[in-house]
Amino acid sequence: VGGVVGGAAGAVGYGIRGLARGGEILRPAVLVTAAASLGLSAVDRLRGEGAVPLNPLAGLCRAGDFWIRAAPLLMRYRIEEQISNRFIRDPAEKQRRWDRLHDRCAPKALASILALRGFYIKVGQVASSRNDFMPMQIIKALSTLQDDVPGKEDS
């Protein structure tokens, strides 16, 4: 199959596995998006100009960076849940404890999101608009992501 349709299908296939060029792996989303709208020849041009190379271990390193930042916060919430469920009977005291925890963790969550950038900023933006299940302290902290996100650094 040739042309744009064949090019798009081929790029999607390469995008799922990652397209390698000289030991560098290109971001699959970039390849799939370009292939879907412009055809494989545009992907070939993209590979040569301005594509963001990734080390094969970059995804693993990024996942590790996420968990190093997220695990302590998640553990604090899990510990508080256990303490509240087992030892605290007064609903007002439970709420005070949860509010204090949210106050302490919200700035740390924001700092982690800003450090991780990209996808995590988008998740933070969505979370900051969900007052149906997110605590107000976290919504307030993450609301800065709606309009005050630092620009992308030039490489």
Side-chain angles (χ1 to χ4, degrees):
V1 179
V4 173
V5 175
V12 170
Y14 284 123
I16 292 170
R17 293 188 310 270
L19 185 59
R21 179 182 61 118
E24 299 172 342
I25 296 179
L26 302 176
R27 295 181 190 271
V30 171
L31 297 173
V32 171
T33 303
S37 62
L38 302 172
L40 188 57
S41 63
V43 173
D44 289 337
R45 285 194 303 272
L46 182 64
R47 284 176 40 206
E49 302 173 16
V52 180
L54 282 179
N55 181 315
L57 297 178
L60 182 60
C61 292
R62 188 156 165 81
D65 193 18
F66 167 80
W67 284 109
I68 286 170
R69 294 169 188 278
L73 297 176
L74 294 172
M75 289 301 296
R76 286 181 184 178
Y77 277 93
R78 183 69 173 144
I79 290 167
E80 183 59 40
E81 179 184 40
Q82 294 298 316
I83 290 171
S84 291
N85 289 341
R86 292 180 186 201
F87 303 113
I88 302 187
R89 299 290 175 229
D90 180 27
E93 176 61 21
K94 282 184 181 185
Q95 188 60 48
R96 280 191 296 276
R97 291 178 62 91
W98 281 111
D99 286 341
R100 274 195 316 252
L101 183 61
H102 297 322
D103 287 338
R104 285 194 314 263
C105 290
K108 294 175 182 176
L110 176 61
S112 295
I113 287 170
L114 288 172
L116 291 167
R117 313 266 321 135
F119 167 78
Y120 299 100
I121 288 178
K122 185 53 69 180
V123 170
Q125 289 171 334
V126 170
S128 73
S129 68
R130 297 301 308 267
N131 62 0
D132 55 336
F133 71 92
M134 295 297 291
M136 286 310 296
Q137 297 91 329
I138 294 178
I139 289 172
K140 186 177 178 182
L142 297 183
S143 67
T144 61
L145 298 173
Q146 294 296 336
D147 58 4
D148 193 24
V149 177
K152 184 177 178 180
E153 296 175 7
D154 293 329
S155 307

